[in-house]
């Protein structure tokens, strides 16, 4: 130890904490060789089960983007089959449920349950806790994580399936009564069977799924990526969700910066991408000029009113809810007001506020209800999944398609600026699925092939 160091103990403690933190985020405690051996055992004992498991996982990833009722049951077959073959998958699923993000989710769930003791609405709090169930997908999907590319493809197909609802919405169900009843039918907004704000958040993440292929890949993969970006881009505009518009622009700008910093994009590609985005926006603007004009004009008027202290509008109320969430955080900085307690706390402080059940911002919702402790747990969860999404990417086996979950997660985080994505069923389901595609460790190469 350096005797000239004025504070050697604190530096050693900082080094130890940093090493421990990144060791946890990277899942260094996971026994890699034992995990590989577990996969080998599973493939040897239940090769047919591997294929059925993959089929049900892909089916769930497709169906989760349908109407909310379908989202709730999308992974039902996967859950049932998981328990059917639970002996054959042992101990693979232990490594799955032991991933850093799963442990972080358990910590968040535990803290939320504890916070019900001081929450003003424990019933709503249990509802928020229930949305953490989607992180169970980390363990359910892990036995087929070797086929990550197929799983990502299934999610892209699911986004396209979800957008069929937008098509049905745009054409009023094609005259089919039962189909028309499935879509939301909001005035001046085309969101299909999604609620417009939720649909906007989902599609921003969907944009992230397609961006890496469109920007960095070559050949047919790039064409599919560009087609996906075009389709999702029009869908985002159609939802009329202004927060999603902003988030998608930020995501594209961030993707361009990523490509420039990592030297994965040439100037020509940037120009093509920007021009393409402008063309898509212009086409969508012409096709939906009346509804878009209404949404833009509303935003202009409502923002002006909010700056003047008038919050009796959709945008103004969101600004006020954010301010009140900050007030709740300041009043209860460590523990928050308790899971589900945001609206009740506000009603006590300002009975005429008329706020919603959440703050329409994930970070503010977490800080106001769970305090800095909750923010810390949530930060660990997101850091672990983003770090894993980058480190698990195998460019040789997956191409740039393997970066899709990383960009989608960033897109969902950007959407969370104007939407509490972690407690809305469909966005929470998508977050859980994306997290499941990014474990801290997986076997390097598939051990079984379709020709075996």
């Amino acid at each position: 130890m350096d005797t000239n160091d004025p504070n050697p103990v604190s530096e050693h403690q900082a080094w130890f904490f940093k090493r421990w933190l990144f060791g946890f985020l990277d899942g260094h405690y996971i026994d890699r060789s034992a995990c590989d051996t577990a996969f080998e055992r599973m493939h040897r004992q239940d090769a047919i089960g591997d294929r059925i498991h993959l089929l049900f996982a892909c089916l769930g990833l497709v169906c989760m983007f349908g109407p909310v009722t379908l989202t709730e049951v999308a992974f039902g077959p996967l859950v049932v089959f998981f328990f059917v073959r639970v002996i054959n998958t042992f101990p693979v699923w232990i490594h799955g449920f032991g991933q850093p993000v799963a442990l972080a989710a358990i910590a968040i769930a535990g803290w939320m349950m504890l916070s019900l003791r001081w929450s003003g609405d424990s019933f709503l709090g249990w509802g928020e806790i229930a949305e953490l169930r989607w992180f169970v997908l980390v363990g359910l999907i892990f036995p087929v994580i070797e086929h990550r590319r197929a799983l990502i493809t299934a999610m892209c197909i699911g986004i396209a399936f979800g957008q069929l609802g937008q098509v049905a919405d745009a054409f009023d169900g094609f005259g089919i009564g039962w189909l028309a009843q499935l879509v939301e039918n909001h005035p001046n907004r085309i969101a299909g069977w999604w609620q417009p704000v939720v649909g906007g958040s989902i599609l921003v993440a969907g944009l992230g799924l397609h961006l890496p292929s469109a920007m960095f890949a070559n050949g047919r993969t790039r064409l599919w990526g560009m087609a996906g970006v075009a389709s999702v881009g029009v869908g985002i505009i159609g939802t009329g969700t202004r927060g999603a518009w902003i988030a998608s622009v930020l995501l594209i700008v961030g993707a361009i910066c990523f490509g420039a910093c990592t030297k994965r994009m040439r100037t020509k590609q940037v120009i093509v991408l920007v021009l393409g985005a402008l063309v898509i926006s212009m086409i969508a603007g012409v096709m939906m000029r009346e509804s878009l004009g209404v949404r833009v004009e509303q935003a202009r008027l409502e923002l002006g009113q909010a700056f003047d202290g008038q919050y009796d509008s959709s945008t103004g109320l969101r600004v006020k809810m954010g301010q009140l969430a900050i007030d709740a955080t300041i009043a209860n900085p460590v523990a928050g007001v308790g899971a589900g307690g945001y609206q009740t706390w506000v009603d006590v402080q300002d009975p005429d506020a008329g706020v919603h059940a959440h703050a329409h911002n994930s970070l503010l919702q977490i800080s106001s209800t769970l305090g800095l402790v909750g923010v810390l747990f949530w930060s660990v969860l997101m850091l672990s999944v983003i770090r894993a999404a980058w480190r698990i990417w195998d460019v040789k086996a997956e191409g740039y398609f393997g970066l899709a979950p990383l960009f989608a997660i960033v897109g969902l985080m950007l959407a969370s600026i104007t939407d509490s994505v972690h407690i809305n069923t469909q966005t929470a389901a998508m977050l859980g699925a994306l997290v499941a595609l990014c474990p801290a460790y997986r076997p390097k190469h598939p051990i079984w092939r379709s020709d075996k």
Side-chain angles (χ1 to χ4, degrees):
M1 184 177 295
D2 186 0
T3 56
N4 295 322
D5 188 344
N7 198 1
V9 176
S10 61
E11 281 199 9
H12 176 73
Q13 291 174 338
W15 173 84
F16 178 79
F17 174 76
K18 181 179 179 181
R19 182 180 179 184
W20 179 88
L21 175 62
F22 283 99
F24 173 78
L25 295 179
D26 295 338
H28 285 173
Y29 58 86
I30 299 173
D31 190 330
R32 268 59 171 166
S33 61
C35 186
D36 291 346
T37 301
F39 270 91
E40 290 175 0
R41 175 185 178 276
M42 179 183 68
H43 298 327
R44 185 172 59 252
Q45 291 195 175
D46 192 16
I48 295 177
D50 289 336
R51 291 158 173 78
I52 299 174
H53 199 131
L54 178 61
L55 173 64
F56 285 152
C58 290
L59 180 65
L61 291 172
V62 171
C63 294
M64 66 181 287
F65 294 103
V68 66
T69 303
L70 185 57
T71 302
E72 293 284 7
V73 301
F75 293 100
L78 177 63
V79 173
V80 173
F81 190 70
F82 176 85
F83 285 105
V84 167
R85 70 187 305 238
V86 68
I87 301 299
N88 288 330
T89 56
F90 179 84
V92 168
W93 52 267
I94 292 182
H95 295 288
F97 287 114
Q99 296 292 321
V101 67
L103 299 181
I106 292 172
I108 293 172
W111 179 245
M112 291 180 75
M113 290 179 186
L114 182 62
S115 75
L116 294 178
R117 294 178 61 86
W118 56 84
S119 171
D121 191 340
S122 59
F123 180 80
L124 182 59
W126 278 113
E128 293 182 0
I129 294 170
E131 296 304 334
L132 293 175
R133 69 190 183 277
W134 298 108
F135 288 105
V136 174
L137 291 174
V138 175
L140 297 180
I141 290 178
F142 190 68
V144 291
I145 195 61
E146 294 165 299
H147 304 278
R148 188 167 177 263
R149 185 179 177 91
L151 296 169
I152 297 172
T153 301
M155 187 170 279
C156 291
I157 295 173
I159 290 289
F161 170 57
Q163 287 201 267
L164 289 179
Q166 288 189 287
V167 175
D169 194 1
F171 293 96
D172 217 9
F174 305 103
I176 304 173
W178 65 267
L179 183 58
Q181 292 177 1
L182 286 177
V183 299
E184 292 281 343
N185 290 314
H186 291 267
N188 301 314
R189 308 181 78 167
I190 303 173
W193 37 59
W194 298 317
Q195 195 275 340
V197 174
V198 171
S201 298
I202 288 174
L203 289 175
V204 172
L207 179 66
L209 283 176
H210 293 294
L211 270 178
S213 297
M215 295 175 63
F216 311 131
N218 296 304
R220 187 167 54 185
T221 301
R222 186 178 184 186
L223 291 177
W224 278 111
M226 293 175 69
V229 168
S231 174
V232 172
V234 172
I236 292 172
I237 296 173
T239 63
T241 304
R242 294 162 296 200
W245 296 351
I246 297 171
S248 60
V249 171
L250 293 175
L251 180 60
I252 292 174
V253 172
I256 292 174
C257 293
F258 171 84
C261 293
T262 57
K263 299 181 180 180
R264 287 183 166 88
M265 287 188 69
R266 296 187 296 271
T267 303
K268 180 180 178 181
Q269 290 176 300
V270 175
I271 294 174
V272 170
L273 180 66
V274 173
L275 290 178
L278 290 175
V279 170
I280 292 171
S281 300
M282 290 175 62
I283 294 174
V286 171
M287 293 175 62
M288 297 176 279
R289 56 185 177 277
E290 294 184 5
S291 60
L292 291 180
V294 171
R295 295 295 294 165
V296 172
E297 182 62 17
Q298 285 179 343
R300 187 185 67 80
L301 292 174
E302 292 172 1
L303 281 174
Q305 292 171 351
F307 285 133
D308 292 335
Q310 301 177 28
Y311 302 108
D312 298 329
S313 64
S314 175
T315 303
L317 183 59
R318 288 168 187 263
V319 173
K320 186 174 184 179
M321 287 190 293
Q323 293 174 343
L324 290 169
I326 294 174
D327 292 341
T329 303
I330 294 173
N332 307 271
V334 177
V337 299
Y342 167 75
Q343 188 175 37
T344 302
W345 185 88
V346 171
D347 288 343
V348 171
Q349 309 301 316
D350 184 0
D352 299 323
V355 300
H356 298 168
H358 58 81
H360 279 278
N361 178 295
S362 285
L363 184 59
L364 291 180
Q365 177 68 14
I366 292 169
S367 68
S368 63
T369 57
L370 303 178
L372 296 180
V373 174
V375 171
L376 174 62
F377 287 152
W378 189 258
S379 298
V380 170
L381 188 151
M382 296 310 300
L383 281 173
S384 65
V385 69
I386 289 176
R387 188 170 174 85
W390 172 253
R391 290 169 63 87
I392 199 176
W393 173 43
D394 187 343
V395 65
K396 293 182 178 179
E398 300 171 338
Y400 288 104
F401 197 52
L403 278 178
L406 173 60
F407 278 64
I409 290 168
V410 172
L412 208 53
M413 290 178 64
L414 291 172
S416 74
I417 297 173
T418 55
D419 184 23
S420 298
V421 298
H422 66 294
I423 55 176
N424 290 326
T425 295
Q426 289 174 299
T427 49
M430 188 174 191
L431 178 60
L434 289 169
V435 167
L437 297 181
C438 304
Y441 176 74
R442 60 165 176 166
K444 295 297 183 182
H445 304 288
I447 298 171
W448 63 273
R449 299 284 196 273
S450 59
D451 58 349
K452 289 187 178 180

